[in-house]
Amino acid sequence: QVQLVQSGAEVKKPGASVKVSCKASGYSFRGNYMHWVRQAPGQGLEWVGRINPHSGGINYAQKFQGRVTMTRDTSISTAYMELSSLRSDDTAVYYCARLSTLEGRGVFDQWGQGSLVTVSS
Amino acid sequence: DVQMTQSPSSLSASEGDRVTITCRASQNISNYLNWYQQKSGKAPNLLIYAASSLQSGVPSRFSGSGSGTDFTLTINSLQSEDFATYYCQQTYSAPLTFGGGTKVDVK
């Protein structure tokens, strides 16, 4: 079955960087864009960006430009999201989500379990 | 960016109630509108796509409607497992954006 398994929780100090991984299984990794979404404690969902696993092409939300880097390793079907210059308001659960197409419309039909990143001095 | 506004932000209901949640887009997004359910501590789960199509495996008490800028999610005969937070999402243009969420809790 399709699965996205993310790396574990991280605690980082302000100014540090964090790299979260998302390992895909049960489907062709290159065939679907991978998106990253975050959720601060008690808050809503915020789109961070996406990567095309086939080409490596990326698009980031303007808010994160210059601080976020998305990469992938197709040999192990894994996508990565690195966020640098961490601040306390980056404390959130970070999700990877697979984009599929249903009736010509994009949907996030599979999500990772989430990775909690805590930024604290 | 397309702004998505959900209302209400929270509501209290009882099992068996009919619940309606609305989502408004800041511009015409046709039917590029999805609904997700999120339970505490879990990832969101797709309920409705293309504004009104039911995702496979989702109970038929869930339904969606709307097009353009105004959309509705309806839950007929609310069940205990439906107490959760619901989000709309537009996939018309990047950045993909979500509504602020509607928390449905027990009256």
Side-chain angles (χ1 to χ4, degrees), chain A residues 50-65:
Chain A
R50 68 176 186 181
I51 185 167
N52 179 339
H54 179 69
S55 68
I58 46 88
N59 297 96
Y60 302 139
Q62 185 148 13
K63 174 178 180 177
F64 302 100
Q65 291 274 2

Side-chain angles (χ1 to χ4, degrees), chain B residues 16-37:
Chain B
D17 285 353
R18 184 184 191 198
V19 168
T20 300
I21 298 168
T22 64
C23 180
R24 175 164 288 175
S26 61
Q27 66 184 70
N28 187 337
I29 60 169
S30 183
N31 69 341
Y32 287 77
L33 191 284
N34 304 321
W35 289 98
Y36 298 85
Q37 176 193 66

Side-chain angles (χ1 to χ4, degrees), chain B:
Chain B
D1 298 1
V2 180
Q3 307 302 319
M4 305 301 293
T5 304
Q6 270 184 251
S7 61
S9 57
S10 65
L11 65 89
S12 298
S14 301
E15 286 189 45
D17 285 353
R18 184 184 191 198
V19 168
T20 300
I21 298 168
T22 64
C23 180
R24 175 164 288 175
S26 61
Q27 66 184 70
N28 187 337
I29 60 169
S30 183
N31 69 341
Y32 287 77
L33 191 284
N34 304 321
W35 289 98
Y36 298 85
Q37 176 193 66
Q38 186 179 34
K39 296 184 177 179
S40 182
K42 301 294 187 182
N45 182 53
L46 178 67
L47 296 176
I48 300 284
Y49 62 93
S52 60
S53 294
L54 196 65
Q55 168 67 337
S56 176
V58 174
S60 59
R61 62 181 178 272
F62 291 92
S63 64
S65 64
S67 183
T69 61
D70 294 311
F71 303 88
T72 300
L73 172 70
T74 300
I75 311 171
N76 283 302
S77 190
L78 195 71
Q79 301 298 300
S80 59
E81 60 266 32
D82 302 335
F83 292 104
T85 301
Y86 295 85
Y87 293 93
C88 61
Q89 177 204 32
Q90 66 82 19
T91 57
Y92 181 79
S93 64
L96 308 187
T97 43
F98 294 88
T102 298
K103 183 175 182 179
V104 178
D105 62 19
V106 180
K107 181 184 287 183

Side-chain angles (χ1 to χ4, degrees), chain A residues 23 29-30 72-78:
Chain A
K23 182 171 177 59
F29 177 66
R30 291 172 179 262
R72 92 288 189 218
D73 184 339
T74 56
S75 69
I76 56 171
S77 299
T78 300

Side-chain angles (χ1 to χ4, degrees), chain A residues 1 12-14 20 25 27 36 44 48 59 64 71 79 84 96-97 121:
Chain A
Q1 75 281 21
K12 296 292 182 181
K13 294 193 182 302
V20 179
S25 61
Y27 74 100
W36 291 87
V48 179
N59 297 96
F64 302 100
T71 56
S84 63
C96 58
S121 54

